[in-house]
């Protein structure tokens, strides 16, 4: 028998083939419960009982503390294949225990889950990466076929959806694109002025701002903005449709989700990104111009003339080429993660996060690849 200061009592005894657990006192949260080893000892030190029964007539109160203890007894009974008779428990406790054991535990919730070896972990990660690569390749292939169907006039989607997405990804994105790129232009002008002023070459701040914006910063910063804004929205929208089984309904009706849902988003962002980048380049140069004219010994006409001389057609075209590719990356990453979304609300959030991370990563990698290619081509 084990007694605690809070009058929680457990008496363990054998009656024939049955193990009787007699409970008394207040089995409530905060009470010091009897050691569970008292019950386990009956299975280790003696022959396992045929069944487990309970006596609770002397119990004055109970709450979740009792249920936790009974759950341990139930787990022990299941492990040793011992019958557990709950007829002696209070009606509420017996019902709760039955409800708790009706649904099996979710895998991985136990604290003492067996640790996976390093080799197994590497293998699982490799398989997961292979599956991810396969799904991405399938998505790219289906998107390409959908674009070909559009070019042949056989893609089925609503044009009003396309124009709505164009508005959301274009005109509605102008304020945030303008703000960020204006500040980027200001920062470039300040950074350039600090170094170039030492050599009396303040005028070349215009070259620095102009080339940096049209070649790199305009496309990259706009792409990152659109990835966090529009790409995430694409993933959340398609993920919600996946959860509500709207995508399955389209398949049942014989409508391709790639044509109806993905294609308008690819077309809209692929069309709007170059325009947004052009706008971002202009705003960024304006930001650098304001700093140069107000803080350096450069006139407005000098700044404009230097920008015109520095920004040639090859320099300008590099940013537009990047803009088209980045637009496809942002839309593709958002739609891919949305189509891969699970069937729960939590999965929608995970898909949205994954779309942003994937999009930004691919934008940086793509820019690095373009830098190597343009260097080889002398652009």
């Amino acid at each position: 028998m084990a007694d605690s200061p809070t009058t929680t009592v457990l008496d363990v005894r054998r009656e024939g083939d049955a193990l009787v657990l007699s409970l008394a006192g207040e089995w409530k949260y905060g009470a010091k419960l009897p050691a569970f080893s008292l019950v386990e000892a009956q299975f280790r030190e003696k022959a396992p009982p045929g069944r487990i029964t309970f006596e609770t007539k002397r119990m004055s109160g109970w709450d979740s503390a009792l249920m936790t203890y009974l759950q341990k007894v139930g787990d022990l009974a299941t492990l040793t294949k011992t019958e557990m008779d709950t007829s002696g428990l209070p009606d509420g406790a017996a019902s709760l225990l039955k409800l708790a054991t009706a649904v099996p535990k979710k895998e991985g919730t136990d604290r003492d889950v067996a640790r996976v070896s390093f080799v197994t972990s590497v293998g699982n990660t490799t398989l997961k990466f292979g599956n991810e690569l396969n799904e991405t390749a399938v998505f790219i292939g289906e998107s390409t076929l959908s674009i070909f169907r559009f070019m042949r006039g056989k893609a089925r989607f609503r044009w009003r959806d396309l124009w709505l997405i164009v508005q959301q990804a274009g005109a509605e994105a102008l304020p945030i694109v303008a703000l960020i790129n204006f500040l980027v232009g200001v920062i470039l002008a300040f950074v350039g002025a600090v170094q170039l002023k030492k050599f009396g070459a303040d005028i070349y701040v215009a070259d620095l701002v102009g080339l940096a914006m049209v070649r790199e910063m305009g496309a990259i910063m706009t792409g990152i903005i659109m990835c966090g804004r529009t790409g995430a929205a694409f993933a959340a929208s398609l993920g919600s449709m996946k959860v509500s089984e709207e995508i399955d309904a389209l398949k049942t009706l014989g409508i391709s989700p790639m044509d109806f849902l993905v294609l308008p988003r690819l077309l809209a962002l692929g069309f709007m990104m170059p325009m947004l980048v052009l706008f971002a380049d202009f705003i960024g140069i304006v930001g650098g111009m304001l700093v140069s004219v107000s803080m350096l010994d450069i006139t407005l006409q000098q700044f404009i003339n230097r920008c015109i001389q520095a920004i040639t057609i090859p320099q300008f075209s590099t940013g537009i080429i990047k803009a088209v590719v980045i637009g496809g990356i942002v839309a593709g990453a958002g739609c891919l993660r949305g189509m891969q979304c699970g069937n729960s609300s939590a999965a929608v959030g995970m898909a949205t996060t994954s779309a942003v991370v994937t999009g930004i990563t691919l934008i940086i990698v793509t820019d690095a690849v373009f830098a190597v290619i343009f260097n080889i081509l002398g652009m």
Side-chain angles (χ1 to χ4, degrees), residues 182-266:
F182 178 82
L183 294 177
V184 168
V186 170
I187 292 169
L188 289 173
F190 273 118
V191 172
V194 169
Q195 295 300 320
L196 295 175
K197 202 170 184 180
K198 296 177 181 178
F199 305 97
D202 301 16
I203 189 64
Y204 291 105
V205 171
D207 298 58
L208 172 65
V209 173
L211 288 176
M213 289 304 303
V214 300
R215 283 186 64 94
E216 297 289 343
M217 301 307 297
I220 291 179
M221 294 308 300
T222 304
I224 292 175
I225 293 168
M226 297 304 291
C227 191
R229 181 187 180 278
T230 306
F234 287 173
S237 176
L238 295 182
S240 299
M241 293 182 184
K242 187 76 176 295
V243 172
S244 60
E245 300 181 353
E246 293 178 53
I247 294 179
D248 294 334
L250 289 175
K251 294 179 181 178
T252 302
L253 294 173
I255 301 175
S256 171
M258 296 299 297
D259 290 355
F260 197 80
L261 300 175
V262 176
L263 180 61
R265 289 167 169 80
L266 291 174

Side-chain angles (χ1 to χ4, degrees), residues 5-315:
T6 52
T7 67
T8 300
V9 180
L10 173 66
D11 181 30
V12 182
R13 66 180 188 274
R14 289 285 188 101
E15 292 184 357
D17 191 36
L19 177 65
V20 181
L21 303 182
S22 179
L23 288 71
E26 293 276 342
W27 286 70
K28 293 186 176 181
Y29 178 77
K32 183 178 180 181
L33 301 182
F36 190 67
S37 58
L38 295 173
V39 181
E40 292 178 321
Q42 298 295 322
F43 291 82
R44 291 196 307 264
E45 301 172 0
K46 303 178 182 179
R51 61 193 181 95
I52 301 175
T53 62
F54 300 91
E55 290 182 356
T56 58
K57 294 181 180 179
R58 295 185 298 157
M59 184 184 297
S60 56
W62 62 275
D63 60 11
S64 58
L66 172 65
M67 299 311 303
T68 302
Y69 203 89
L70 293 178
Q71 185 66 51
K72 292 182 180 180
V73 176
D75 292 342
L76 181 61
T78 302
L79 182 65
T80 58
K81 298 181 179 180
T82 304
E83 177 188 357
M84 190 167 76
D85 182 6
T86 60
S87 59
L89 295 173
D91 292 338
S95 300
L96 286 175
L97 185 62
K98 183 179 179 180
L99 181 63
T101 56
V103 180
K105 287 185 178 180
K106 183 179 179 180
E107 294 183 4
T109 56
D110 291 336
R111 294 184 179 180
D112 54 348
V113 176
R115 299 189 61 173
V116 179
S117 66
F118 175 75
V119 176
T120 302
S121 178
V122 171
N124 291 335
T125 303
T126 303
L127 291 174
K128 183 178 179 180
F129 177 76
N131 293 333
E132 181 78 15
L133 201 60
N134 179 65
E135 292 179 1
T136 303
V138 170
F139 178 84
I140 293 174
E142 291 181 349
S143 300
T144 304
L145 293 176
S146 182
I147 293 174
F148 285 154
R149 286 193 294 270
F150 169 75
M151 295 173 65
R152 296 198 308 268
K154 295 183 178 180
R156 300 173 60 188
F157 65 91
R158 295 184 298 187
W159 282 92
R160 62 179 180 179
D161 289 345
L162 174 61
W163 301 128
L164 178 61
I165 297 171
V166 166
Q167 177 184 347
Q168 293 173 345
E172 294 181 8
L174 289 178
I176 184 64
V177 171
L179 173 62
I180 298 301
N181 284 280
F182 178 82
L183 294 177
V184 168
V186 170
I187 292 169
L188 289 173
F190 273 118
V191 172
V194 169
Q195 295 300 320
L196 295 175
K197 202 170 184 180
K198 296 177 181 178
F199 305 97
D202 301 16
I203 189 64
Y204 291 105
V205 171
D207 298 58
L208 172 65
V209 173
L211 288 176
M213 289 304 303
V214 300
R215 283 186 64 94
E216 297 289 343
M217 301 307 297
I220 291 179
M221 294 308 300
T222 304
I224 292 175
I225 293 168
M226 297 304 291
C227 191
R229 181 187 180 278
T230 306
F234 287 173
S237 176
L238 295 182
S240 299
M241 293 182 184
K242 187 76 176 295
V243 172
S244 60
E245 300 181 353
E246 293 178 53
I247 294 179
D248 294 334
L250 289 175
K251 294 179 181 178
T252 302
L253 294 173
I255 301 175
S256 171
M258 296 299 297
D259 290 355
F260 197 80
L261 300 175
V262 176
L263 180 61
R265 289 167 169 80
L266 291 174
L267 294 176
L269 209 52
F271 177 70
M272 291 308 301
M273 272 299 293
M275 296 186 179
L276 288 172
V277 170
L278 285 174
F279 177 73
D281 293 344
F282 173 76
I283 293 297
I285 292 174
V286 169
M289 181 180 65
L290 291 178
V291 173
S292 301
V293 172
S294 61
M295 302 187 63
L296 303 175
D297 189 18
I298 302 175
T299 65
L300 178 61
Q301 189 63 42
Q302 287 176 326
F303 187 94
I304 294 175
N305 290 337
R306 288 304 309 174
C307 281
I308 293 174
Q309 293 178 17
I311 303 173
T312 60
I313 295 299
Q315 302 288 354

Side-chain angles (χ1 to χ4, degrees), residues 215-216 322 365-377 379:
R215 283 186 64 94
E216 297 289 343
K322 290 179 182 179
V365 172
T366 302
D367 184 69
V369 173
F370 271 124
V372 175
I373 294 174
F374 291 152
N375 182 64
I376 295 174
L377 297 177
M379 297 178 64

